[in-house]
Amino acid sequence: MTTLENRPKTALLVIDVQNGVVEGAYERDAVVANIAALVEKARQEQVPVVWVRHSDEDLVLGSDSWQIVPELVPAEGEAIVEKLYRDSFEATTLEAELAGLEAGRLVVTGSQTDFCVRSTLHGALARGYDAILVSDAHTTEDLSSWGAPKPEQVIAHTNFYWSGQKAPGRTAGTVETKDVDFGTAS
């Protein structure tokens, strides 16, 4: 379990599922549907949902491309963390939000697999969190023309290497949407 003291709870982290980020992303609709199912399950189980939203020169604050996709609507009271860097912890309020929620275990979803999702997973584990990646609830765009593998390969590779990720006193790994256990009493 987490190495963070007094952090027994779990939070669902939804990273950068914004119009301009997932437009044209690999299996966009299926991934967004899986994230929506997880958000619903988290809310039913009273597990906090924390939204992360990126901004930069292509995702201008307040623009349509910066908005979270219409299929996913943050509920009143759910934290929305604004970020400028790939790691959702860097220069943001994420750590403070999670501390206030007593969350030491993160169930991670979102976009883009090879940028913000990976950076945040590593950032979480390095900071003492348990970090579980939902293997069918993250996506990326096709960057193969710049030398990257095809999106399905990026996703498969990330799932492969994160499934074996370890750190002292912390857990990591992957799980499919249908098997997510937020660790709440039934």
Side-chain angles (χ1 to χ4, degrees):
M1 294 303 291
T2 178
T3 58
L4 300 171
E5 290 187 28
N6 304 314
R7 302 292 260 311
K9 297 180 181 174
T10 298
L12 175 63
L13 194 59
V14 181
I15 302 169
D16 301 349
V17 187
Q18 299 163 255
N19 292 323
V21 178
V22 298
E23 180 180 38
Y26 179 74
E27 294 189 351
R28 180 237 187 254
D29 293 344
V31 169
V32 170
N34 286 342
I35 294 170
L38 289 165
V39 168
E40 182 178 334
K41 180 178 181 176
R43 289 173 179 162
Q44 287 173 352
E45 295 183 20
Q46 299 182 335
V47 169
V49 179
V50 178
W51 303 84
V52 178
R53 186 167 48 196
H54 192 83
S55 62
D56 59 25
E57 63 279 355
D58 296 320
L59 296 167
V60 177
L61 198 68
S63 69
D64 184 58
S65 61
W66 171 81
Q67 300 294 332
I68 293 171
V69 298
E71 300 96 321
L72 301 173
V73 179
E76 186 174 329
E78 291 177 342
I80 300 176
V81 175
E82 305 293 348
K83 73 177 181 62
L84 300 170
Y85 303 101
R86 291 178 181 170
D87 181 343
S88 299
F89 289 93
E90 286 298 326
T92 70
T93 61
L94 182 57
E95 170 55 30
E97 295 289 351
L98 295 171
L101 297 169
E102 298 178 354
R105 179 175 182 261
L106 303 179
V107 175
V108 180
T109 67
S111 192
Q112 288 191 187
T113 301
D114 38 355
F115 294 108
C116 300
V117 171
R118 269 191 203 169
S119 294
T120 301
L121 283 167
H122 287 284
L125 200 63
R127 288 173 174 87
Y129 290 87
D130 293 335
I132 307 303
L133 175 63
V134 184
S135 62
D136 56 355
H138 63 97
T139 188
T140 192
E141 65 184 313
D142 188 344
L143 299 173
S144 59
S145 62
W146 286 277
K150 290 286 190 183
E152 58 271 25
Q153 294 170 318
V154 170
I155 293 164
H157 181 255
T158 301
N159 288 337
F160 170 72
Y161 89 75
W162 200 256
S163 69
Q165 193 64 264
K166 296 179 186 178
R170 286 154 279 163
T171 58
T174 60
V175 64
E176 290 182 28
T177 296
K178 66 181 179 58
D179 297 323
V180 168
D181 179 357
F182 288 118
T184 57
S186 302

